[in-house]
Amino acid sequence: ITGREVLSVFASTSTSGRGFDVEDTGAATVTLSGGAVGTFLFSDASPSPWSYEFTTGENRKYPKLPGVDATDCYHFMGTKQSIAFPSLRRFKYGQEVREAGWDSPLTLEREQVQHQDPIIAQMEHFAKVCRGEEEPLCGGRDGIESLAVIMAVLRSSQTQAVVSPKSLLDKARDGMDCAADAGDGESASASQSGS
């Protein structure tokens, strides 16, 4: 979303809400390259209208929310504007504002979104990528880096220490290099003994 790398993660999780072996509640703070800091709060154990499923209305399994105003599950706040998802409401300072600050008026802009079934849209895109008609929206490197952030969240919640996703990737890569080197040695030994 930001185009920035997650440099560090600190997280705390709990299983006390539902009492299962899997985390049901937690918080994570991430620091991005460029200096931005993000905070994520999550819970699968509290009644709230702020889940992705409730706010997007994409899955008919979930009931409609009471009330008429759109509810958002994600809020991104930057120095020039803030945006809410899925409503795509954007708040920023108007052109008339000479000096931005707490007492400066904000403007509200709203994008129109075409609602469609995300599973169908994803599968259509996947088929087009397989046929060479489109480039993937998310590449393998993006997936691996996202997984490293999730692994850093889990590691941090276990150790209560700040964890670098890059260090986890480097450690995994070093382990793969060692395994590949050992495999190459075995292949070389086998071919030499067989000749």
Side-chain angles (χ1 to χ4, degrees), residues 141-179:
R141 182 178 195 77
D142 297 324
I144 289 171
E145 289 174 353
S146 295
L147 182 58
V149 171
I150 297 303
M151 295 304 296
V153 167
L154 293 172
R155 178 76 49 89
S156 177
S157 70
Q158 293 164 349
T159 63
Q160 289 298 285
V162 174
V163 176
S164 161
K166 184 179 183 316
S167 69
L168 296 178
L169 283 175
D170 291 344
K171 191 173 185 179
R173 188 175 305 113
D174 291 345
M176 290 179 2
D177 289 344
C178 291

Side-chain angles (χ1 to χ4, degrees), residues 46-121:
S46 62
S48 79
W50 302 298
S51 73
Y52 179 87
E53 290 81 7
F54 273 135
T55 59
T56 62
E58 293 173 340
N59 190 333
R60 293 186 184 129
K61 171 186 174 189
Y62 296 95
K64 290 193 181 284
L65 291 172
V68 289
D69 290 339
T71 302
D72 294 302
C73 58
Y74 303 129
H75 297 89
F76 303 93
M77 295 172 277
T79 56
K80 299 192 185 295
Q81 66 179 339
S82 297
I83 187 168
F85 180 87
S87 70
L88 298 184
R89 292 181 295 178
R90 291 186 306 165
F91 293 90
K92 59 184 180 178
Y93 298 112
Q95 292 178 347
E96 74 281 358
V97 174
R98 294 183 192 275
E99 186 175 334
W102 292 352
D103 55 353
S104 300
L106 296 175
T107 62
L108 170 62
E109 296 176 4
R110 193 176 204 149
E111 301 291 327
Q112 292 300 318
V113 178
Q114 178 186 357
H115 292 279
Q116 57 184 352
D117 186 313
I119 303 299
I120 292 171

